[in-house]
């Protein structure tokens, strides 16, 4: 069952939802056909719940939204970017252990 705390980011809403967000924002660039994306999707959901009051978390499907991944130079998926004040402050490529994601979020809160 999808986590209602995980937002769906798109090319159309990226500026308003991510770049203009006053909160630390996690963006997971994924594709439905990519197996590691399923693992990282679970991490995104877990982080959204654990840090619900301090973190905005969401996923952007690269097959449906191609402008934003291109703008940020996304070359492999999953790639997770953390944004603070409209700027990328952390990048995680692939599906390392959950602790790597948790540490990145904690570091920037």
């Amino acid at each position: 069952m999808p986590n209602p705390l995980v937002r769906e980011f798109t090319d159309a809403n990226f500026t308003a939802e991510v770049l203009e967000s006053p909160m630390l924002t996690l963006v997971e660039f994924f594709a439905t056909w990519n197996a590691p994306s399923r693992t990282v999707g679970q991490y995104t959901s877990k982080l959204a719940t654990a840090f619900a009051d301090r973190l905005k978390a969401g996923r952007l499907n690269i097959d449906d939204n191609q402008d934003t991944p291109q703008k940020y130079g996304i070359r492999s998926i999953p790639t997770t970017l953390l944004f603070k004040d409209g700027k990328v402050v952390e990048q995680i490529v692939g599906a390392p252990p959950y602790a790597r994601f948790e540490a990145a979020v904690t570091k920037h809160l």
Side-chain angles (χ1 to χ4, degrees), residues 73-96:
I74 305 301
R75 300 257 181 268
S76 63
I77 52 167
T79 291
T80 304
L81 299 180
L82 276 176
F83 288 82
K84 192 169 192 173
D85 300 323
K87 295 181 177 44
V88 176
V89 294
E90 190 96 23
Q91 175 177 311
I92 303 171
V93 178

Side-chain angles (χ1 to χ4, degrees), residues 37-89:
S37 288
R38 288 191 276 283
T39 299
V40 176
Q42 292 173 352
Y43 296 168
T44 299
S45 179
K46 193 172 174 181
L47 290 164
T49 301
F51 297 99
D53 56 338
R54 298 177 287 161
L55 175 74
K56 181 189 280 191
R59 305 179 85 203
L60 188 139
N61 186 322
I62 63 157
D63 291 328
D64 298 337
N65 304 277
Q66 297 180 354
D67 294 343
T68 304
Q70 186 174 351
K71 179 179 177 185
Y72 288 95
I74 305 301
R75 300 257 181 268
S76 63
I77 52 167
T79 291
T80 304
L81 299 180
L82 276 176
F83 288 82
K84 192 169 192 173
D85 300 323
K87 295 181 177 44
V88 176
V89 294

Side-chain angles (χ1 to χ4, degrees), residues 12-23:
N13 73 12
F14 197 82
T15 297
E17 286 281 343
V18 177
L19 300 181
E20 295 174 355
S21 174
M23 296 178 81

